[in-house]
Amino acid sequence: MIPLLVANGIAKSFGARPLFDNLSLAISEGERLGLIGPNGSGKSTLLRILAGAIAPDSGTISVRRQARVGYVAQDTGLPEDRTARDIVAEALAAEPLEEAERASRIHVTLGRAGFTNPDVRAGELSGGWRRRLAIAREVVRAPDLLLLDEPTNHLDLEGILWLEKLLASAPFAAVVVSHDRWFLENAVNRMAELNRAYPDGIYRVEGNYSRFLEKKEEFLRAQERLQESLSNIVRREVEWLRRGPKARGTKAKARIEEAERLMGELAEVSARNVRAAAEIDFTGSDRRTRRLIAVEGIAKQLGGRTLFRDLSFVLSPGARLGLVGPNGSGKSTLLRILNGELAPDAGEVRRAEALEVVYFDQEREQLDLSRTLREGLGARGDFVLFRGRPIHAAGWAKRFLFGPEQLDQPMSSLSGGEQARVLIARLMLQTADVLLLDEPTNDLDIPTLEVLEDSLNDFPGALVLVTHDRFLLDRVANAVLGLDGEGNALRVADYWQWEQAQAALRQERAQKDAPERPAAPSAAPAPARKRLSYLEAREWESMEEKILAAEAELAERQRKLQAPDVVSDPARLQQAYERLKAAEEVVEQLYARWAELEARQA
């Protein structure tokens, strides 16, 4: 099979900073490649090179003849005054299509993306719906390869599930830059990590994220064994060199050259095996007050819509509350109420005296990108004051994986993940009773996410976390509050209970909205059967039996979905849910066919 796209020996640097060198990559039909790597390793730059938006410093990009490549950047760049219909239509402007086909493709694409109102303007959409629209704008062009840069950023959990389903059933290949571990587990069939720690600058594995972790661990263990072996050989050669061999003979000369080569190889392997991670440690106040924040019967409306009503809970030290719900359901609004920025329309929020709250804003408005990294990290002169003691700015920067040469660069030159690390560094300088974190995982690489998880679990105060990262939510939150955007709130033990409750609610609504099913016929009048063909009449006679069997299968799949061993296993729960949806579709199709045959006999 001829690959859709081949990158051969490409290199890219920004100033004196090399991102990657002599990198090669091929993408074939049916491939869904998940691309990960440390912040600043060049993932977004690589995607832009593959999309043809920028040129590599060296190397070549070859695209199969007539293959279409679509690209969705982190910044969707949608014109705010245009409607969803117009934006998708503009993507088809150069396509030689009949008007009926053009209109059909626009309608179907927006419908599959979840848009019920195609005339909504982009400026009125939340970040998650803008992301859906940006993806729809590329999908409508029927690409052969779709490049997605952090597509789950700003998507709510429902939107991420939609994207997983889209990629699983898509006819196109995809390369997805993402740090959402559950998404990578469910949506890709190959993994690659872009990292200078690998000899080729990139490491590829067939399979999903968990398979990648297994193979990466094997690779790293092999690298450590190689380093140990080289170290032993080099030590012997150094001892030989110290004895002062005379380099007059050819053999002695060759051995000296080989020793130098081995020392160079050892230095290279040792450098690759160094794995740095950010050091994140939020400063708790050790306050003993049991009721840090008490929320009593609060309600809030925005734009004439009730976000939540009669909402009550208490935040005590050690509480780690996850907030979930669709975009626009009021999660960020609730955080701003807890932070004191907004007042509730009803009810009361009581805070402990002299309460210290640290708030992570997903829009990162606390960062002035025109300032230098030194200023962004909170340094005054050459020092940062952390927990009452001064730390040199270079040492503080190193803790968050920044080099001293970056201290005087503007923060606008940093990647999204690097900016997120700067904001976390600033927040760590503040003592906190309560952490309010609004999508802190956006753009963070996986090693930093793992350190963040550990820090949040060790934090002694209370925590309220809004995140679309199901892995983080499962590891950190000890309770979940789900908002449905219609004024209702449901408190559950974890995300999977919330998802089950939402699935049951969707099923209930579908049954309520479905047309009334015809009652089972007792006997059909003989003359009426003349309207059906012989085969249709036989089908009509067996329809009731088929429906009873299909409904029995549906009931069995509902029972399996609720089994304790399935509920506690995310992968099995997802499979059980998909089987349940398939059984529901079979029942609906049978009833629709029965109604059709019944109508023809009337």
Side-chain angles (χ1 to χ4, degrees), residues 233-254:
I233 296 172
V234 167
R235 185 173 61 250
R236 289 196 300 268
E237 293 303 299
V238 168
E239 289 173 358
W240 177 77
L241 288 170
R242 282 174 179 167
R243 289 198 295 268
K246 300 186 184 299
R248 295 175 184 171
T250 304
K251 288 185 178 179
K253 262 187 180 177

Side-chain angles (χ1 to χ4, degrees), residues 517 547 549-558 576-590:
R517 293 172 175 175
I547 288 174
E551 288 186 329
E553 176 66 16
L554 176 60
E556 175 64 15
R557 293 189 181 184
Q558 286 173 330
Y577 176 68
E578 291 172 356
R579 293 189 185 110
L580 176 66
K581 297 301 292 181
E584 287 175 352
E585 290 177 7
V586 169
V587 171
E588 292 296 333
Q589 290 169 2
L590 287 171

Side-chain angles (χ1 to χ4, degrees), residues 18 48 68 88 231 242 249 302 321 363 366 389-390 404 406 412 419 431 467 470 523 526 573 595:
R48 293 179 67 198
R68 295 171 179 252
V88 174
S231 181
R242 282 174 179 167
L302 281 181
L321 179 66
E363 301 298 333
Q366 297 113 309
R389 62 187 180 90
Q406 294 178 269
S412 59
Q419 290 175 15
T431 302
T467 181
R470 291 159 288 179
L573 182 63

Side-chain angles (χ1 to χ4, degrees), residues 299-351:
K300 188 66 180 179
Q301 285 189 336
L302 281 181
R305 183 167 61 90
T306 300
L307 298 178
F308 42 81
R309 66 173 75 87
D310 197 27
L311 181 59
S312 301
F313 57 88
V314 174
L315 294 177
S316 302
R320 295 192 291 275
L321 179 66
L323 293 183
V324 299
N327 287 337
S329 60
K331 303 184 296 295
S332 296
T333 299
L334 179 54
L335 283 190
R336 295 178 66 192
I337 290 175
L338 296 177
N339 196 37
E341 295 179 37
L342 291 178
D345 298 335
E348 186 178 6
V349 178
R350 295 179 181 175
R351 299 175 181 83

Side-chain angles (χ1 to χ4, degrees), residues 39 275-281 396-402 421 424 428 444-445 447-452 455:
N39 292 138
R275 293 187 286 280
E279 299 177 34
I280 299 174
D281 186 10
W396 186 246
K398 183 179 179 182
R399 183 169 183 164
F400 298 93
L401 309 183
F402 296 110
R421 292 206 304 266
I424 290 173
M428 278 175 52
L444 289 181
D445 58 27
T448 306
L449 283 175
E450 292 170 346
V451 176
L452 177 63
S455 176

Side-chain angles (χ1 to χ4, degrees), residues 83-145:
T83 68
R85 190 201 311 272
D86 291 341
I87 289 170
V88 174
E90 285 171 4
L92 288 178
E95 301 293 322
L97 299 172
E98 298 288 339
E99 285 307 310
E101 183 182 354
R102 187 186 306 274
S104 174
R105 281 174 65 171
I106 293 168
H107 175 75
V108 169
T109 301
L110 286 173
R112 287 177 176 169
F115 285 87
T116 55
N117 176 17
D119 294 318
V120 64
R121 296 188 183 277
E124 301 169 9
L125 297 173
S126 67
W129 282 100
R130 288 186 186 212
R131 182 72 58 186
R132 288 198 192 209
L133 182 54
I135 294 171
R137 179 174 60 179
E138 295 301 318
V139 168
V140 77
R141 297 177 57 246
D144 298 288
L145 172 62

